[in-house]
Structure formats: C-alpha cells, structure tokens
Amino acid sequence: MDQQNRHPQDIDITIKNIILPLLESKLMRDIIGIKYKRELDSVFKTTKERRVDLLLELEDDSILHIEFQTKNDKTMLYRMFEYYSLIKMEYKEKTIHQKLIYLGEDKCNMKNTLKDSKLYYEYELIDLKDFQCDDLLESDNMADITFAFLCNVRNREKLFRKALSKLRNLPEQERSDWVGKILTLLKVRPKLREGFKILLKEEPMLEIPPFTIEELKDLPFTAKAIEQLEQEATLKGKKEGLQEGLEKGKQEGLVQAKKDDVKSAILIKFKVLPKELEEKIENTDDIKVLDEMFKKVILASKIEEIL
C-alpha cells in the first residue's frame, strides 16, 4: 500500500497483526470462498516498491489479493489496477482475484470498474458494514469477534456480551492484546468504540493488569509503542543529561572562581598563602562559606584570624 494513501499507522499495524489468525476465521472463509494454500510475498519491486496488504495462493492455484481500506480514496480503482498488473507480471499463468474490504464508517463511494476503449477491469468491493455476519457471534476465533464489530450485526448487545465473555477467558497478556486491537480498529467507528470502552470500565474482571516494560515488549500490539517511548526517553535523557552537565559545569566554575578570589585576596594582603589555609580553601565547595572567608580576609588584621 502506498505511504500517502495508507490508513492510520496503528490501524494498519493492528490489521497486519490480526491477518494471520483471521486467515483461519469464518469471516475470511466466507470472503475468500475457497481454502488457501499459502501466503505469498506481498512486496513488488519495480522502480519504486509496492506492497499489497495480503496475497494468497488458493487451493485451485489461483491468486487472491486483498486490500483493507478505512476511508474513501478516489485513486483506489487505479491503485487496484496497478496492483493487478504487478501481480499478473509475477504470476503470469495464474488467475488473479482481487477484493477490497472497506472498514470505514462513511458510505463507501469508491469505484470498482474501469471501462476504456477495449479495456474492462473490475475488482470486488466489500463494504464490511453491509456484510451480514451474525453467524460470527458463534465463532470461537477472537479475530472473528474483533471484525464482527465492523460488520453488519443485528444484535450489537449480543456481540458485546460475546466479546466480553471471550475476553474474560483469555490469559491476561493475550486479553490485553485483543482489547487493544479492538479499540484500535474501532477508531474507524467512534461511537462503537466509546460504547465498548464504557463496557470495559463496568467489567472489573476485564481491568487490564499492570505489566512490566519487558512484558509489554512481548505484546505485538504494544511492542512498537514501547520501542518508540524508549527511544524518546533516551533522547530526552541525553538532553537532560547535557543540560544537567552544563548546569553542573557552571556551578563548579563559580565555586572555583570564589576559591581563586579568596586565595588572591590573601596573597595581596598578607603576601603569603600558608599550605594549611590553601588546603582549607580547596576543600570548601560551599559558596556561602567561601564568601564568608573572603570577608574575613578583607577585615582581618593578621593571617591567623582567617585560620
């Protein structure tokens, strides 16, 4: 998917994290319509790199290309056609199928057919809001339950209950990961997201337990965020360390200047600086004490009054 046309990065990452369990889900069986044999490389290198969301080889040896889209894009028809050309060049003898799954809240208004002279091109466009998936509520696959939030489900209350029930039975880390994935995907459905967040607050059993930094690094959903926070913290630490070093340097310079002032005043007034007195001055780092010593030098009539 081209960088300038990508959906928000956290949603993109979440979709990628869900894709593998999603491939075994009922939702994908309904969408694909036939079993797949393996996932294929989704990167195509031409003059500039192109990456598709998902590329599968199906059991009938055909190729299925799937894109996920969270908002309407006027260029989508031409992008899908470009992807088709790249895939066809790589798999010349294969039949290519393409499906675009629209996840957005707004009405889908993207075109999916191209007619030009003797050319006719078409891909299948699926608006998940219109995709009837009440039967997903009977699935035990968490990916099915997650994507059911974006589908056409008649009984939303049943969906919420099913999701909460499924989440309760998951291990703590896995539960935290899936809650995060659901909340991230629901950024494209703000009202549903707020409703789900309210339910989570009302469910004490689903309170997300505190994790250590190392545990958060092991969670697919939080790993990237933790890595970014650590980088920012390191940068901030370096800046604070530099500032702290500068402040410390200023303080040390001021103390040394005070010591030099006291020693110079003694030498000017008494023409001599006893070693004992010099050591006393050098061992003093308190500016107030050095100021008092300087005053004593000015007021003293003999050097013994300073010792």
Side-chain angles (χ1 to χ4, degrees), residues 43-60:
V43 178
F44 295 88
K45 294 182 179 179
T46 55
T47 52
K48 54 182 178 179
E49 185 177 277
R50 288 285 187 267
R51 179 186 296 273
V52 300
D53 283 341
L54 185 61
L55 197 64
L56 302 173
E57 183 179 18
L58 305 183
E59 280 196 334
D60 63 359

Side-chain angles (χ1 to χ4, degrees), residues 104-165:
E105 189 166 39
D106 295 335
K107 182 178 179 180
C108 181
N109 57 22
M110 290 177 285
K111 295 180 180 179
N112 67 326
T113 59
L114 175 62
K115 297 178 182 179
D116 187 10
S117 183
K118 295 182 180 181
L119 171 68
Y120 180 82
Y121 164 76
E122 181 178 3
Y123 67 88
E124 185 177 355
L125 178 56
I126 300 172
D127 187 342
L128 217 54
K129 293 192 302 296
D130 299 330
F131 195 82
Q132 189 59 245
C133 55
D134 289 283
D135 52 350
L136 292 185
L137 302 186
E138 308 307 319
S139 173
D140 288 324
N141 188 316
M142 199 61 214
D144 275 329
I145 304 301
T146 300
F147 269 87
F149 279 93
L150 304 179
C151 294
N152 182 0
V153 176
R154 294 187 185 91
N155 193 335
R156 289 286 173 189
E157 184 180 349
K158 183 178 179 181
L159 168 60
F160 279 28
R161 286 201 309 269
K162 175 73 175 185
L164 294 177
S165 174

Side-chain angles (χ1 to χ4, degrees), residues 267-285:
L267 285 168
I268 291 171
K269 189 166 186 177
F270 300 107
K271 311 298 182 185
V272 64
L273 177 58
K275 186 175 181 180
E276 178 186 356
L277 186 52
E278 184 178 10
E279 288 178 352
K280 181 179 179 181
I281 295 169
E282 286 299 330
N283 290 331
T284 303
D285 292 323

Side-chain angles (χ1 to χ4, degrees), residues 161-179:
R161 286 201 309 269
K162 175 73 175 185
L164 294 177
S165 174
K166 181 71 176 173
L167 288 168
R168 284 192 201 100
N169 295 323
L170 293 176
E172 289 181 352
Q173 285 196 5
E174 189 177 352
R175 182 174 73 225
S176 174
D177 191 29
W178 277 108
V179 168

Side-chain angles (χ1 to χ4, degrees), residues 7-18 220-221 224:
H7 23 71
Q9 188 178 29
D10 55 348
I11 297 177
D12 187 60
I13 292 170
T14 300
I15 290 173
K16 296 292 192 300
N17 285 337
I18 296 177
F221 181 73
K224 279 188 172 292

